Amino acid sequence: MWNGMFNVDDYENQPLADAYAIVMGSSHTEPMMRATNEWGHFAEGAWRWDTNNASVRPFFEYGAKRAKPYINNSLFTMAMRGSGDTAIPLTRDKAIKAATDSVTAQREILDNLLADEGKSAKDIPQMWCLYKEVQDYFENGMSVPDDVTLLWTDDNWGNVRRVPVGDEKARSGGAGIYYHFDYVGDPRDYKWINTINLAKSVEQMKITYEHGADRIWIVNVGDLKGLEIPINHYFDLAYNIDQWGYDSVPQWLSLWAAREFGSKYADAIGAVTDKYGILAARRKYEMLSPGTYSVINYRSEERL
């Protein structure tokens, strides 16, 4: 989202991903299969539907056209947010209208794109990510076609904000979740170092699954290397969440340790890794300051 343009940086990226049956999409703030950075390179004017749709619409059209050969392994982000992963700079009602109008145009583009194959937009995967202020749009009347998956989100810190309720569970597009192991934003970033408590991941993912948010699971990981353990765990939950109960983390970590280091010390290594996740999640490294813990007062060391 920030530095790259997947389809432009290397023109073999999309064909290679498709050959490996990797489903490619774009972030919650990048509609119609186009990267944020593409706007600055290939478009003119402000990233605003209400004032510059004459430029935004063809930008969307090209993204859809470019993705058409790989349509079976593409996930389209719908609607719009503001420039640079921000809110639309309008009052809520006007922002809802602008976002709704953008969805109408996007659906027309997809319908036109697929018409020669006897298909329409409802035949391909799409999602609307209810991130930050966008959830407020939804809860104040904005809607998208029933076949679009509603992608609910956490609060950027691993706490799921909302799950489907009532009639929302009957949508043909279903629901999913956008979750964070890494975050760049207010009040402070956390990145580079693993601070994920796997027990929390199990709890939150099982809650979403049990309430019907099971169509799409996306996790924001930033840099892959430091988060290999929670990513591996998240994938295993997604593959067969019924296999893993709320108290399954010690078992999972023991199996992980046996795979990586052999079975002799697997339980011990798993226990250390489990304890690390609990302690690191209590206070992420980026949130530490000289006064966070005391080495002489409050029994801080003992209580940890």
Side-chain angles (χ1 to χ4, degrees), residues 83-257:
S83 178
D85 196 17
T86 62
I88 298 172
L90 295 168
T91 63
R92 185 178 65 198
D93 289 347
K94 290 182 178 179
I96 288 174
K97 183 180 187 309
T100 302
D101 290 346
S102 74
V103 174
T104 299
Q106 290 162 355
R107 295 283 288 196
E108 290 174 355
I109 291 167
L110 293 174
D111 284 340
N112 293 336
L113 179 76
L114 299 170
D116 61 346
E117 299 178 5
K119 297 181 178 180
S120 64
K122 64 181 176 58
D123 296 312
I124 62 173
Q126 302 147 73
M127 66 86 170
W128 181 34
C129 187
L130 305 175
Y131 184 62
K132 290 189 174 179
E133 78 288 343
V134 182
Q135 182 177 324
D136 186 52
Y137 298 169
F138 175 83
E139 292 176 345
N140 282 276
M142 182 174 169
S143 64
V144 295
D146 197 65
D147 56 274
V148 177
T149 302
L150 298 182
L151 197 71
W152 300 98
T153 74
D154 69 350
D155 62 354
N156 302 313
W157 298 83
N159 306 293
V160 174
R161 296 176 67 189
R162 172 94 135 65
V163 292
V165 296
D167 292 345
E168 294 163 7
K169 294 183 179 181
R171 293 175 56 86
S172 62
I177 188 71
Y178 171 46
Y179 201 70
H180 284 79
F181 290 163
D182 163 286
Y183 174 62
V184 178
D186 295 332
R188 197 175 297 181
D189 303 353
Y190 63 91
K191 54 197 303 186
W192 308 122
I193 303 174
N194 174 24
T195 57
I196 303 305
N197 181 354
L198 300 186
K200 185 170 187 176
S201 299
V202 172
E203 177 201 47
Q204 296 295 296
M205 291 304 103
K206 287 188 77 67
I207 288 171
T208 62
Y209 179 79
E210 289 164 2
H211 285 82
D214 57 2
R215 183 67 58 89
I216 302 166
W217 282 11
I218 295 174
V219 62
N220 186 329
V221 299
D223 184 69
L224 292 170
K225 186 62 179 176
L227 292 162
E228 288 174 325
I229 294 174
I231 292 170
N232 191 164
H233 183 239
Y234 192 88
F235 280 2
D236 282 351
L237 294 177
Y239 186 75
N240 184 4
I241 196 166
D242 292 328
Q243 180 179 347
W244 306 105
Y246 283 92
D247 59 353
S248 63
V249 170
Q251 176 195 5
W252 187 91
L253 281 171
S254 182
L255 292 169
W256 166 82

Side-chain angles (χ1 to χ4, degrees), residues 20-35:
Y20 279 90
I22 296 172
V23 176
M24 292 304 302
S26 48
S27 79
H28 61 89
T29 192
E30 296 176 315
M32 299 294 280
M33 301 296 289
R34 300 211 69 172

